Amino acid sequence: MAYYLTKKNVYNPKSVHSVSPFYIKYSSYIISTILLVSFIFLLGTNRLVEESSIFNVWSKPINTVDSSISDPNLSIDGNFKLNFGYRQGRYLHYFDKFGNTIFYTNLAFDSRVSVGNSNFVHYKKLGRANQAYNLNGNILWITNTSVYPEVSKYSTTIINHASDNSIIQMFDWNNNILSKTIQYGEFITDGAFADNTGDYVAGFSSGYIALINRAGGLDFAMTTILSEINFVKAVAISEDGSFITSLSGIRPEYLTLYKKNGETIWYTDTGLSRRRNISLGVSEKSMMVYMPTETSIDIYSIPTGKIIDKLDISKYGMDNPTYMKSSSSDKDTIFAIGKNAKSIVLIYDHKSKEIVFSKEINTWVYNVDVSDVYGEYLIVSDKYIYSYKRVIL
């Protein structure tokens, strides 16, 4: 930038007194008004218009059928996909968006459930009978089998795992076989369903990943990018199955994003050498990939593969978290990070790139959800259920 020197103006002292007294008297007000208007136009009025707060709409202990404690001035307008909470060997609880109990049952110590928002499968820790029920507790079918079911939370597919977790196979809710048996390594290390479709991605100890579509077809099976030690630590799939992501390998560790046909979109060396399973998240609503590290949640852009933000979780005492849960709208994402039977819940605004809400919870948070109306959130822990609403002020 060029700077130019000009001759300094010389004022006649008499000319100052010739200025109108009105401008002298009110000059400070005029200058303040000009600065305020300039500030609004420079920063935009959007932050002033969209300033918001997040309030608790209702809460309820998860192990009771009592009514929820509600704020009479707030209500939930949208619908949550998430409508259940459970603890193995303790209880299963279905509820509606207002916190009213739909179905509740106590579970025996050796009982296990795999739960979706419309149906669940009940089985024994060591046993051969799998029993399917709808959310009202009405039985659908009983199968004499020793496989372990993994139920799609929000769609209509089931993955049955062999007892040694080496083989998987897809079924529907009429217990019809949809796929062939799938095996691409010694054992399955991670798996995930697409929320809206029921497509299923699996990762294997061999470094392979495989995608079984909702009809049972094998869309692809291939090895991840080779590392010195190659195995899959985590997989995730977006809401409609358009994007799949995997975390694999040691020296180096790779985060990779794929299309639904298996084509690689991008991959990146994370610079880390983790040996344990890691939680991942990917959303086509936000067009982001979420990966926890030792001290942060790294947020990657789906189109570019670049890190666009890092959310500091170390300040909440969540270094090296045990797991991460997430749910996204096109405007924000809710995260739950857990460690040592404690959790932190964060709501991240995509546009402002800010954490607009945080809540420390002194127990495990099992799941979170965003409703189909902007600014409504559900948190399910192993002690309480919480519903929150973002209110534009």
Side-chain angles (χ1 to χ4, degrees):
M1 180 181 293
Y3 294 90
Y4 296 91
L5 297 176
T6 59
K7 185 178 180 181
K8 185 176 180 180
N9 292 324
V10 178
Y11 293 98
N12 184 334
K14 292 182 180 180
S15 67
V16 175
H17 295 286
S18 67
V19 177
S20 168
F22 172 84
Y23 294 106
I24 295 174
K25 183 177 181 179
Y26 295 102
S27 61
S28 61
Y29 298 102
I30 294 170
I31 292 169
S32 298
T33 302
I34 292 171
L35 288 175
L36 178 60
V37 171
S38 300
F39 177 81
I40 292 172
F41 277 98
L42 284 172
L43 297 184
T45 58
N46 200 41
R47 288 181 67 86
L48 299 178
V49 173
E50 293 188 355
E51 186 177 351
S52 62
S53 289
I54 297 175
F55 300 97
N56 183 213
V57 180
W58 59 263
S59 58
K60 176 178 181 174
I62 197 167
N63 59 350
T64 179
V65 298
D66 296 342
S67 299
S68 59
I69 301 171
S70 304
D71 185 333
N73 300 311
L74 295 171
S75 65
I76 296 298
D77 300 314
N79 294 298
F80 295 108
K81 289 182 179 295
L82 179 62
N83 62 352
F84 58 84
Y86 62 93
R87 189 169 178 181
Q88 303 291 20
R90 298 284 294 277
Y91 58 79
L92 168 62
H93 192 168
Y94 279 99
F95 49 86
D96 65 19
K97 65 180 182 180
F98 306 112
N100 302 313
T101 297
I102 298 172
F103 174 76
Y104 183 93
T105 185
N106 291 310
L107 300 174
F109 176 75
D110 62 343
S111 290
R112 298 292 182 267
V113 286
S114 186
V115 186
N117 62 355
S118 298
N119 308 292
F120 68 94
V121 177
H122 177 271
Y123 59 101
K124 297 288 186 180
K125 187 175 181 180
L126 297 173
R128 295 187 58 85
N130 286 359
Q131 303 172 4
Y133 298 83
N134 65 20
L135 59 75
N136 295 306
N138 300 315
I139 195 160
L140 302 176
W141 44 261
I142 301 175
T143 300
N144 183 20
T145 179
S146 58
V147 298
Y148 294 95
E150 181 184 359
V151 170
S152 174
K153 291 181 175 65
Y154 308 131
S155 55
T156 58
T157 53
I158 301 170
I159 292 291
N160 281 339
H161 293 250
S163 57
D164 62 356
N165 203 27
S166 63
I167 299 171
I168 55 175
Q169 190 170 26
M170 181 178 283
F171 287 73
D172 65 16
W173 273 102
N174 293 316
N175 202 34
N176 296 317
I177 298 173
L178 298 180
S179 78
K180 297 178 180 179
T181 56
I182 307 295
Q183 183 178 23
Y184 284 98
E186 208 172 302
F187 58 90
I188 293 96
T189 54
D190 195 22
F193 289 98
D195 285 353
N196 299 335
T197 64
D199 302 333
Y200 185 82
V201 61
F204 295 84
S205 57
S206 61
Y208 267 77
I209 62 170
L211 179 67
I212 308 171
N213 65 41
R214 71 209 76 171
L218 185 64
D219 280 359
F220 68 82
M222 61 186 187
T223 185
T224 52
I225 300 171
L226 293 177
S227 299
E228 183 178 328
I229 302 173
N230 202 47
F231 69 102
V232 177
K233 305 170 192 177
V235 292
I237 184 168
S238 63
E239 297 88 350
D240 290 323
S242 301
F243 302 104
I244 298 98
T245 187
S246 69
L247 187 70
S248 63
I250 297 177
R251 295 187 297 269
E253 177 187 89
Y254 288 113
L255 177 68
T256 309
L257 184 73
Y258 309 88
K259 293 181 181 179
K260 65 192 307 181
N261 63 2
E263 180 183 342
T264 298
I265 300 174
W266 51 257
Y267 65 91
T268 185
D269 180 348
T270 68
L272 302 170
S273 296
R274 294 171 287 188
R275 294 177 177 269
R276 62 184 180 86
N277 281 67
I278 310 296
S279 303
L280 286 180
V282 58
S283 172
E284 53 199 273
K285 293 179 181 178
S286 68
M287 292 298 286
M288 297 174 185
V289 174
Y290 312 113
M291 184 192 74
T293 71
E294 287 89 342
T295 59
S296 65
I297 299 173
D298 290 357
I299 301 178
Y300 291 80
S301 165
I302 282 181
T304 68
K306 304 297 184 183
I307 294 179
I308 56 178
D309 211 347
K310 286 176 171 283
L311 308 185
D312 183 6
I313 58 175
S314 63
K315 66 182 181 182
Y316 303 105
M318 284 293 158
D319 306 73
N320 296 302
T322 303
Y323 69 88
M324 176 190 73
K325 299 288 186 180
S326 64
S327 178
S328 294
S329 70
D330 58 347
K331 293 182 174 62
D332 55 20
T333 297
I334 183 170
F335 296 98
I337 294 287
K339 174 186 174 182
N340 298 331
K342 294 183 179 180
S343 305
I344 181 73
V345 175
L346 307 172
I347 297 176
Y348 174 75
D349 187 280
H350 301 157
K351 186 176 181 180
S352 66
K353 292 184 170 57
E354 294 175 340
I355 294 173
V356 296
F357 174 85
S358 64
K359 180 178 177 62
E360 295 185 38
I361 298 177
N362 194 30
T363 187
W364 295 109
V365 169
Y366 288 148
N367 221 332
V368 291
D369 192 21
V370 181
S371 85
D372 55 7
V373 170
Y374 171 60
E376 297 179 340
Y377 316 96
L378 191 67
I379 303 166
V380 177
S381 78
D382 67 352
K383 293 182 179 178
Y384 281 89
I385 315 162
Y386 308 91
S387 181
Y388 282 84
K389 190 180 188 75
R390 189 172 185 177
V391 178
I392 304 298
L393 301 178

